[in-house]
Amino acid sequence: MFHMGWFLGFGFGSYGWNQQWSGNAAADLANPQLFVDLATSLERAGFDYMMLEDSSVIPDTFRGTMEESLRAGIVRMDPMPLIPLLAAATQHLGLVATAATTFYPPFLAARLLTTLDHLSHGRVGVNLVTASPDAAAQNYGLAKHYEHDLRYRMADEWVQAVTALWDTWEPGALTLDEESGMFADHTKVHRADFDGEFYKTRGPLNTVPSPQGHPIICQAGGSPAGMDFGAKHADTILASVAGADGMKRYRDDISRRMIGFGRDPKDVKVLFLVEPVLADTDADAIEKKRRMDAANQGNIEASLMRMSYISGLDWSKFALNEEIPDLTGKHNGHQSVVDDFLAASAGKTLREALASQRRGTSSVQLVGSPDTVAGQMDEAMQEAGGDGFLVALPVTRKNITEVCDGLAPALRRRGLIREEYLPGTFRDNLFAF
Ligand SMILES: Cc1cc2nc3c(=O)[nH]c(=O)nc-3n(C[C@H](O)[C@H](O)[C@H](O)COP(=O)(O)O)c2cc1C
């Protein structure tokens, strides 16, 4: 059996507002109902969790303007306040929202996540990112963003500070002894007095310990520093790597790093991104994939915009018919993604490099009827190892139905995903197998 998650690539944002299947976008913008529908469907399908991406900028690096981003509708509401609404509509699904360690003060994050864990009865998780654009850093008062590896060093200390705050209440501290009139035992509640290089926090938390105590930590770094951070702290790691070989290498690498940090590799669930192309029959799905590829073909603008966002450099300035200039030490964004692209581009013009770039984020190609795709997923997991998949499709009700009412039952018929949840927390279910 393997685990399943759904990745919301634009967080609590807009998914193709003017597309054929995007629904009544004008009325639905910022309406939580679409996300509630997704959550209840994922629970029906037996998924482990949904993960809401987040950032705090309208991208404006490409050509130095927000024009293209605003045309496309790249906006995001804060995902954290959505969690209680999703929790109220579900009983078992894990609910993960993204927080940037660079910008959240540890006390604020520790208290918020503890509160959300209460409101969801032990089902909250947090995707920890260091965030990349300078514009995001400037929103929080910095002149520019910290350097990539320094961000991860800070993030490591941030997790220690947050964990110290979570641990300020010892087991048994909450007595609720009505006879003696004692709510909590003060000898079991301590200050954290965390005094690090980057963060200081006093504690204790003025909340009561939450069902999970330590909410689930999710992470998606790809660079050595990012993978070390995940291997040290994460309960679940998300990866977008190409092919079964890449998946196997990535999982082995994470396992090696975990052992180096004194952790058991079984203590993290590594989920690989997939974008299944589903239809009634295999032939229909192949035709659908052909149409999707044709629509994306030659969309150089979109590729340049994406590279600008993830690198923090304006790629409209690079000549399309020349090799990409040497960017060593010049980009400070999603480092591993940019480095991988540059390595694959050696000897090619920018135009050729973009044309041969892996399309989308799918780790394996999944195309076919629900049953065929279920078989492909089984094969990929057996070949590559790993703990499951993270579906990364736009949040439309059509995609939700295809995955939750087509693919998931096909996976279940093959015994590949859970029949039912255990009573208990997100953590209990994530580590049940
Ligand atoms: C599935 C997935 C989800 C991600 N979600 C976010 C996100 O919500 N916010 C963000 O700033 N970065 C996000 N990232 C980027 C990663 O945090 C990371 O920066 C990127 O994978 C590059 O790795 P590196 O930072 O180790 O170079 C995501 C990456 C992946 C693969």
Side-chain angles (χ1 to χ4, degrees):
M1 282 215 294
F2 49 72
H3 296 268
M4 293 290 291
W6 186 298
F7 173 51
L8 291 88
F10 290 98
F12 181 10
S14 152
Y15 292 83
W17 64 277
N18 60 347
Q19 308 287 305
Q20 197 166 22
W21 293 99
S22 46
N24 192 2
D28 280 352
L29 273 179
N31 182 334
Q33 194 56 46
L34 173 64
F35 302 92
V36 170
D37 286 355
L38 173 65
T40 55
S41 301
L42 293 177
E43 190 159 272
R44 179 170 74 245
F47 273 49
D48 285 79
Y49 61 86
M50 61 191 268
M51 195 286 251
L52 291 131
E53 178 269 9
D54 195 34
S55 86
S56 40
V57 298
I58 296 175
D60 64 355
T61 311
F62 183 58
R63 297 204 180 105
T65 165
M66 295 182 288
E67 184 179 348
E68 286 307 319
S69 301
L70 287 173
R71 188 192 303 281
I74 300 179
V75 292
R76 289 162 175 94
M77 276 29 87
D78 187 331
M80 293 291 178
L82 188 61
I83 299 291
L85 301 181
L86 304 176
T90 51
Q91 289 177 306
H92 307 287
L93 185 71
L95 304 166
V96 184
T98 296
T101 56
T102 322
F103 309 132
Y104 255 102
F107 190 88
L108 195 61
R111 187 164 180 249
L112 172 66
L113 292 165
T114 295
T115 306
L116 290 174
D117 203 39
H118 279 292
L119 296 178
S120 61
H121 302 288
R123 289 188 287 129
V124 86
V126 62
N127 174 41
L128 295 181
V129 301
T130 59
S132 60
D134 281 336
Q138 286 155 6
N139 283 339
Y140 296 95
L142 301 171
K144 65 199 246 333
H145 209 340
Y146 298 106
E147 182 276 325
H148 178 272
D149 283 14
L150 172 62
R151 299 201 292 263
Y152 277 113
R153 209 149 61 76
M154 295 171 74
D156 177 54
E157 194 183 289
W158 187 97
V159 176
Q160 292 175 41
V162 167
T163 307
L165 288 166
W166 282 333
D167 290 343
T168 51
W169 287 59
E170 283 178 33
L174 190 64
T175 46
L176 290 172
D177 186 338
E178 292 188 6
E179 297 227 325
S180 70
M182 187 166 74
F183 179 86
D185 178 351
H186 78 282
T187 66
K188 294 186 173 166
V189 182
H190 310 284
R191 290 163 61 149
D193 286 331
F194 186 88
D195 186 7
E197 185 183 350
F198 309 107
Y199 301 104
K200 296 188 192 341
T201 179
R202 178 186 189 270
L205 282 184
N206 58 343
T207 52
V208 292
S210 73
Q212 294 185 107
H214 293 182
I216 290 287
I217 292 182
C218 169
Q219 205 269 338
S223 63
M227 290 177 75
D228 267 351
F229 178 64
K232 199 164 169 192
H233 299 293
D235 301 298
T236 179
I237 290 180
L238 319 173
S240 161
V241 287
D245 282 354
M247 290 160 70
K248 190 165 169 14
R249 262 198 312 277
Y250 186 91
R251 172 73 239 202
D252 289 348
D253 193 343
I254 287 288
S255 297
R256 243 191 330 272
R257 287 172 199 266
M258 288 182 77
I259 291 166
F261 289 120
R263 293 184 74 196
D264 184 339
K266 287 203 286 299
D267 289 343
V268 77
K269 300 293 180 191
V270 177
L271 268 52
F272 293 102
L273 252 71
V274 285
E275 299 171 66
V277 180
L278 293 156
D280 290 357
T281 65
D282 290 352
D284 288 352
I286 290 166
E287 172 55 19
K288 179 174 165 185
K289 173 87 167 64
R290 193 197 57 73
R291 282 199 313 271
M292 288 166 68
D293 284 348
N296 287 332
Q297 193 91 42
N299 196 344
I300 287 181
E301 290 270 300
S303 303
L304 291 173
M305 246 178 97
R306 175 171 175 274
M307 293 311 296
S308 301
Y309 178 70
I310 61 176
S311 66
L313 303 171
D314 181 1
W315 285 54
S316 73
K317 296 202 168 123
F318 302 159
L320 278 168
N321 294 324
E322 291 173 19
E323 281 190 37
I324 303 166
D326 182 6
L327 302 180
T328 317
K330 295 193 180 132
H331 63 91
N332 191 30
H334 295 194
Q335 184 176 289
S336 50
V337 187
V338 181
D339 285 344
D340 288 352
F341 177 69
L342 293 175
S345 306
K348 294 183 185 140
T349 65
L350 173 56
R351 191 189 300 280
E352 288 162 350
L354 292 173
S356 59
Q357 194 179 22
R358 177 160 69 106
R359 255 186 219 104
T361 54
S362 212
S363 290
V364 277
Q365 292 299 317
L366 302 175
V367 183
S369 68
D371 189 55
T372 300
V373 169
Q376 292 166 353
M377 291 169 79
D378 186 13
E379 222 171 274
M381 217 22 49
Q382 290 196 29
E383 203 181 328
D387 305 290
F389 296 99
L390 191 70
V391 172
L393 293 175
V395 185
T396 65
R397 289 187 174 84
K398 183 167 192 278
N399 284 338
I400 295 171
T401 300
E402 287 182 350
V403 171
C404 297
D405 299 312
L407 178 59
L411 288 167
R412 191 166 300 115
R413 279 193 290 276
R414 289 169 177 255
L416 295 173
I417 60 170
R418 65 160 50 88
E419 285 283 343
E420 57 189 6
Y421 297 93
L422 297 175
T425 63
F426 177 13
R427 185 178 294 279
D428 293 333
N429 274 288
L430 189 62
F431 289 99
F433 56 89

